[in-house]
């Protein structure tokens, strides 16, 4: 397990020098590779923390210690990368609902040890290199420390595919950076703390990757008035190792629950 208190001792320059290349190794499944899409889950971190507070849940360190940032796209963080149900597993009677609930622990296959959201640190260590862990730590606030989000995500969605951990998490880091640098990232930063319309949000997605990409984005909001907590982006598996383009996106059936207007939440309760 890697620890945040260790990484905080490094300056930004030192981290830049040791950071691994996001393009160093392609993401490839060595087993159960017959799936057609991934879901890239990105959190709006301030909204996630607000939702934990509103539901009276124990705030993790990354929320309790959250601070304002000059660069508002810093709050667009990595949650996970989830392969869809492989055909070889579906043929054994597994449906999408069971697959999304249990992932690599699904029976009869892959039938690996179950990772529980309430006990993330009980999951096995990922085997991430120090360089990859440092890079991931900068965009996944729940990684390492006492939250162990990366261990949970790899145990549930990665290990049964034989993904190289550096390639798996490096792909998330790369795509998170691409979204931050897009028109959508600029839209989120420019509307920090403001109420936006779903129409304007969708226009920013379309400006980034074309109109068809809008159908690939599912949004999750909490409370009333609603505030954004997460976006789930459906991506074609065949394009996962290429930069995001119009061809990367795969439509999904539900746009989420955010409604016509929602808040791009800011730090604080």
């Amino acid at each position: 397990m890697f620890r945040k208190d260790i990484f905080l001792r490094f300056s930004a320059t030192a981290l830049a020098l040791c950071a691994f290349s996001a393009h160093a190794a392609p993401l490839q499944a060595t087993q159960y590779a017959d799936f057609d899409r991934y879901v890239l889950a990105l959190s709006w971190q301030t909204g996630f923390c607000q939702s934990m507070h509103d539901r009276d849940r124990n705030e993790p360190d990354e929320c309790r210690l959250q601070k304002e940032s000059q660069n508002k796209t810093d709050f667009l963080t990595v949650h996970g990368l989830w392969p869809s149900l492989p055909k070889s597993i579906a043929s054994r009677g597994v449906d999408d609902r069971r697959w999304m609930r249990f992932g690599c622990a699904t029976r009869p296959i892959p039938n690996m040890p179950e990772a529980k959201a309430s006990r993330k640190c009980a999951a096995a260590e990922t085997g991430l290199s120090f360089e990859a862990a440092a890079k991931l730590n900068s965009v996944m606030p729940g990684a390492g420390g006492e939250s162990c989000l990366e261990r949970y995500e790899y145990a549930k969605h990665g290990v049964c595919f034989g993904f190289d951990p550096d390639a798996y998490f490096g792909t998330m880091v790369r795509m998170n950076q691409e979204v931050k640098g897009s028109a959508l990232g600029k839209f989120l930063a420019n509307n920090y703390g403001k109420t936006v319309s779903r129409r304007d949000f969708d226009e920013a997605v379309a400006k980034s990757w074309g109109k068809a990409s809008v159908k690939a984005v599912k949004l999750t909001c909490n409370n009333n008035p609603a505030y954004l907590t997460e976006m789930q982006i459906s991506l074609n598996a065949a394009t996962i190792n290429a930069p995001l383009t119009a061809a990367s996106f795969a439509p999904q059936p539900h746009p989420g629950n955010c409604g016509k207007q929602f808040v791009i939440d800011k730090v604080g309760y």
Side-chain angles (χ1 to χ4, degrees):
M1 183 178 77
F2 59 94
R3 292 174 51 191
K4 290 184 177 180
D5 56 346
I6 293 175
F7 294 131
L8 289 174
R9 299 173 192 169
F10 287 83
S11 67
T13 302
L15 282 176
L17 289 173
C18 74
F20 77 115
S21 170
H23 300 280
L27 180 62
Q28 295 179 333
T30 60
Q31 52 192 357
Y32 307 119
D34 51 342
F35 59 91
D36 60 6
R37 65 185 63 193
Y38 291 87
V39 169
L40 173 66
L42 301 177
S43 297
W44 186 251
Q45 186 67 15
T46 58
F48 164 74
C49 292
Q50 182 71 53
S51 71
M52 296 291 284
H53 178 80
D54 288 348
R55 290 179 287 179
D56 294 323
R57 296 190 178 182
N58 291 331
E59 292 178 60
D61 285 347
E62 59 268 24
C63 292
R64 185 172 56 83
L65 302 175
Q66 186 171 241
K67 295 181 179 181
E68 190 57 89
S69 173
Q70 185 174 358
N71 182 0
K72 306 309 180 187
T73 61
D74 287 345
F75 298 118
L76 185 63
T77 61
V78 171
H79 179 173
L81 184 65
W82 309 330
S84 64
L85 176 63
K87 294 182 177 64
S88 53
I89 295 178
S91 69
R92 300 292 297 274
V94 175
D95 60 15
D96 285 318
R97 185 174 181 180
R98 185 164 22 140
W99 175 247
M100 288 306 298
R101 179 177 178 183
F102 295 106
C104 290
T106 301
R107 297 177 182 177
I109 56 173
N111 196 24
M112 303 189 80
E114 184 176 356
K116 295 183 179 294
S118 60
R119 299 180 64 244
K120 294 181 178 68
C121 291
E125 294 190 22
T126 63
L128 271 170
S129 69
F130 180 85
E131 292 82 5
K135 194 70 172 178
L136 179 66
N137 190 63
S138 69
V139 298
M140 181 186 270
E146 296 182 358
S147 293
C148 303
L149 178 59
E150 85 292 351
R151 291 168 68 165
Y152 172 75
E153 289 296 315
Y154 189 67
K156 184 174 182 180
H157 300 288
V159 67
C160 56
F161 293 96
F163 291 138
D164 174 80
D166 282 18
Y168 181 59
F169 290 106
T171 299
M172 299 183 210
V173 172
R174 170 179 59 82
M175 290 192 293
N176 175 260
Q177 291 170 338
E178 290 183 46
V179 175
K180 286 178 177 178
S182 71
L184 175 58
K186 294 180 177 64
F187 174 83
L188 293 169
N190 291 339
N191 289 283
Y192 178 76
K194 300 177 183 178
T195 298
V196 301
S197 69
R198 180 64 190 258
R199 176 181 293 180
D200 288 345
F201 181 97
D202 288 348
E203 286 181 0
V205 174
K207 185 176 179 181
S208 300
W209 304 289
K211 289 184 179 180
S213 65
V214 171
K215 296 292 186 181
V217 181
K218 177 181 178 180
L219 298 183
T220 300
C221 285
N222 282 76
N223 223 331
N224 183 16
Y227 54 84
L228 179 68
T229 59
E230 181 167 280
M231 64 181 74
Q232 297 179 6
I233 306 172
S234 180
L235 301 168
N236 290 312
T239 66
I240 197 65
N241 291 305
L244 292 175
T245 67
S248 304
F249 296 86
Q252 52 182 321
H254 199 285
N257 70 341
C258 282
K260 292 182 178 181
Q261 289 189 319
F262 53 91
V263 176
I264 308 299
D265 197 51
K266 61 182 180 180
V267 171
Y269 306 131

